[in-house]
Amino acid sequence: MTTVLIVDDEELIRVGLRAVVDAEPDLTVVGEAADGADALDAVRRLRPDVVLMDVRMPAVDGIAATRHILDTVRPAPKVMVLTTFENDDYVYDALLAGAHGFLLKRARPAEITQAVRIVAAGDSLLFPAKVRDLATRRTRARHGLDHAGLTEREEQVLRLMAEGLSNAEIAARLFLGVETVKTHVGNILVKLGVRDRTQAVVAAYSSGFA
């Protein structure tokens, strides 16, 4: 059973998301919070697997809340941010803060529940074209990729990660074993000094590498 915490300042949104998630036999909502200020305490008390985090809230927004949760809670939950607008710069900042992906609030119920399963399994929920657009609107600053010492194979893997491919899909594309791809991904994270594959992909976009 995958447990979910919903963080949104609009009660109607929380009620709707709870109904969608609780309708699935393998998912359950363990709690709600109406602001990012309450999210950290709720995560510590309830220990959810996944947090559905509104990116825009009046007191403490989803970016700050995501950063606080991922920096202070161990083991940390997976955080997926929710947004009304797909071109929302707040989404990009949330990804930099460590969110594992983002989803539009107008997504269909099946898309929402599938997204929860994807991030709960440890994969990222990214939409390469949208995230790349968000990245290119910012100043393209180097994120250490020039001097990260990535091997040619690691560069290939990172580019495919930036296309949104899973480890299994990367393995099939490069004719490698999945465990070999996992090793390459782990090496990439260490060399880039990032927390997870989402941040690696964001760094690739921001630097102009991908």
Side-chain angles (χ1 to χ4, degrees):
M1 181 68 71
T2 297
T3 56
V4 179
L5 172 70
I6 298 170
V7 183
D8 198 293
D9 62 314
E10 295 187 38
E11 183 178 5
L12 186 60
I13 296 294
R14 298 198 307 272
V15 170
L17 287 172
R18 177 182 280 273
V20 167
V21 172
D22 279 344
E24 299 297 306
D26 59 326
L27 308 176
T28 185
V29 174
V30 293
E32 301 176 12
D35 190 81
D38 302 320
L40 180 58
D41 178 64
V43 167
R44 286 173 170 162
R45 286 187 293 103
L46 302 170
R47 297 291 175 175
D49 299 310
V50 176
V51 178
L52 297 181
M53 178 80 72
D54 184 16
V55 74
R56 290 176 178 265
M57 290 178 284
V60 176
D61 64 29
I63 301 165
T66 295
R67 186 178 293 112
H68 291 160
I69 289 169
L70 297 181
D71 284 347
T72 61
V73 178
R74 295 291 181 274
K78 309 296 184 183
V79 178
M80 183 167 62
V81 294
L82 302 171
T83 181
T84 304
F85 308 104
E86 62 187 34
N87 61 348
D88 192 346
D89 282 345
Y90 276 59
V91 169
Y92 187 72
D93 289 332
L95 294 174
L96 289 177
H100 294 80
F102 72 96
L103 194 65
L104 295 177
K105 289 186 178 181
R106 65 174 181 269
R108 296 189 302 271
E111 293 174 329
I112 294 171
T113 54
Q114 182 61 14
V116 171
R117 295 185 182 101
I118 288 171
V119 297
D123 289 325
S124 301
L125 186 72
L126 295 174
F127 304 90
K130 292 184 178 66
V131 178
R132 189 179 290 110
D133 288 345
L134 290 171
T136 54
R137 292 213 302 270
R138 304 293 186 89
T139 300
R140 303 275 263 186
R142 304 309 299 181
H143 283 247
L145 298 195
D146 287 339
H147 307 291
L150 298 179
T151 66
E152 182 178 353
R153 180 64 85 188
E154 288 165 354
E155 289 184 351
Q156 291 175 328
V157 170
L158 180 55
R159 285 194 172 92
L160 293 176
M161 289 166 60
E163 290 181 19
L165 273 64
S166 67
N167 286 347
E169 291 168 334
I170 293 172
R173 180 79 64 88
L174 298 179
F175 302 101
L176 299 172
V178 174
E179 290 303 318
T180 299
V181 172
K182 288 181 180 179
T183 298
H184 286 313
V185 171
N187 291 339
I188 291 167
L189 301 187
V190 170
K191 290 182 178 182
L192 296 186
V194 295
R195 179 186 289 120
D196 53 40
R197 65 188 293 136
T198 304
Q199 290 193 318
V201 168
V202 171
Y205 292 149
S206 301
S207 66
F209 177 83

